[in-house]
């Protein structure tokens, strides 16, 4: 069995060789967290497989994004996954405002994630920008013994000590 590492450092020209080097007819794409190709660089490999006429068969395992939505109590009929928000202000603050407005206008849950070491900064930005009545779900460490999922209005979050989410994989969901 051959394994190839596909991450943000993988060069685009390397990807076709992953599909042809093994000489095998069956290949698998695994992700260390979440679903392959969803908020994951595996989509580039899947795209290349389609170009080469290789059959792609999706098999789902646990998805923190969908699990967070399921446990949030927010709109599961109309939602959008937005990936990572901008890292720096004012771009991050503007994106949060845009997502909150989109949620309000379309009655749509807005799902996003952050690099675990920047979670606390994102929570701080959400508290600064969002309207008091907007609901926010924070889902951290899904499927672990220390799993933590809470949905509250921004006004309620502001009255609590902020959760310490540093280095904890987390999913955030807004609904205005």
């Amino acid at each position: 069995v051959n394994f190839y590492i596909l991450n943000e450092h993988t060069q685009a020209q390397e990807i076709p060789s992953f599909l042809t080097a093994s000489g095998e007819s069956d290949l698998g794409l695994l992700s260390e967290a979440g679903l392959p190709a969803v908020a994951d660089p595996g989509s580039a490999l899947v795209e290349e497989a389609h170009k080469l006429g290789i059959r792609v068969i999706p098999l789902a395992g646990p998805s923190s994004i969908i699990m967070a939505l399921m446990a949030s109590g927010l709109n599961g009929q109309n939602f959008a996954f937005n990936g990572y928000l901008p890292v720096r202000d004012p771009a991050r603050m503007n994106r949060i405002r845009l997502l909150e407005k989109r949620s309000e206008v379309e009655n749509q849950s807005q799902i996003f994630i952050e690099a675990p070491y920047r979670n606390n900064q994102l929570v701080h930005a959400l508290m600064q920008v969002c309207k008091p009545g907007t609901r926010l779900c924070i889902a951290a460490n899904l499927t672990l013994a220390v799993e933590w999922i809470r949905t509250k209005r921004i006004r309620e979050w502001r009255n609590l000590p902020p959760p310490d989410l540093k280095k904890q994989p987390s999913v955030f969901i807004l609904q205005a």
Side-chain angles (χ1 to χ4, degrees):
V1 176
N2 295 318
F3 288 93
Y4 303 94
I5 296 174
L6 174 59
N7 59 30
E8 68 273 9
H9 305 294
T10 304
Q11 300 296 314
Q13 61 270 21
E14 295 177 73
I15 294 172
S17 69
F18 295 174
L19 294 168
T20 58
S22 71
E24 298 290 327
S25 59
D26 295 324
L27 301 169
L29 174 62
L30 304 172
S31 180
E32 83 275 4
L35 293 173
V38 177
D40 177 272
S43 59
L45 183 68
V46 173
E47 179 183 17
E48 189 64 29
H50 284 294
K51 287 179 186 175
L52 296 173
I54 297 172
R55 182 177 173 207
V56 175
I57 303 169
L59 300 173
S63 165
S64 61
I65 296 161
I66 298 301
M67 292 171 67
L69 181 61
M70 291 166 48
S72 71
L74 303 179
N75 190 349
Q77 294 293 318
N78 186 7
F79 60 91
F81 176 64
N82 297 281
Y84 293 90
L85 302 188
V87 174
R88 292 188 167 69
D89 294 331
R92 178 175 45 193
M93 300 296 214
N94 291 336
R95 180 68 60 81
I96 292 169
R97 285 184 190 98
L98 174 68
L99 294 178
E100 186 179 37
K101 185 65 173 173
R102 186 178 298 156
S103 175
E104 183 177 25
V105 169
E106 299 179 24
N107 187 29
Q108 186 177 67
S109 296
Q110 299 296 320
I111 307 169
F112 44 95
I113 56 179
E114 183 52 276
Y117 64 91
R118 288 195 300 256
N119 283 338
N120 290 341
Q121 294 91 323
L122 178 57
V123 170
H124 179 73
L126 291 164
M127 295 306 116
Q128 284 185 304
V129 173
C130 291
K131 296 174 184 176
T134 294
R135 291 178 289 167
L136 170 65
C137 175
I138 302 173
N141 296 309
L142 292 172
T143 73
L144 299 178
V146 293
E147 177 179 272
W148 188 84
I149 306 167
R150 301 287 185 282
T151 301
K152 299 181 182 304
R153 296 198 182 272
I154 294 294
R155 74 171 68 87
E156 296 170 300
W157 283 113
R158 287 176 181 156
N159 289 326
L160 297 171
D164 184 10
L165 301 172
K166 187 174 184 177
K167 296 186 179 180
Q168 297 182 45
S170 301
V171 177
F172 302 87
I173 309 173
L174 273 182
Q175 188 168 1

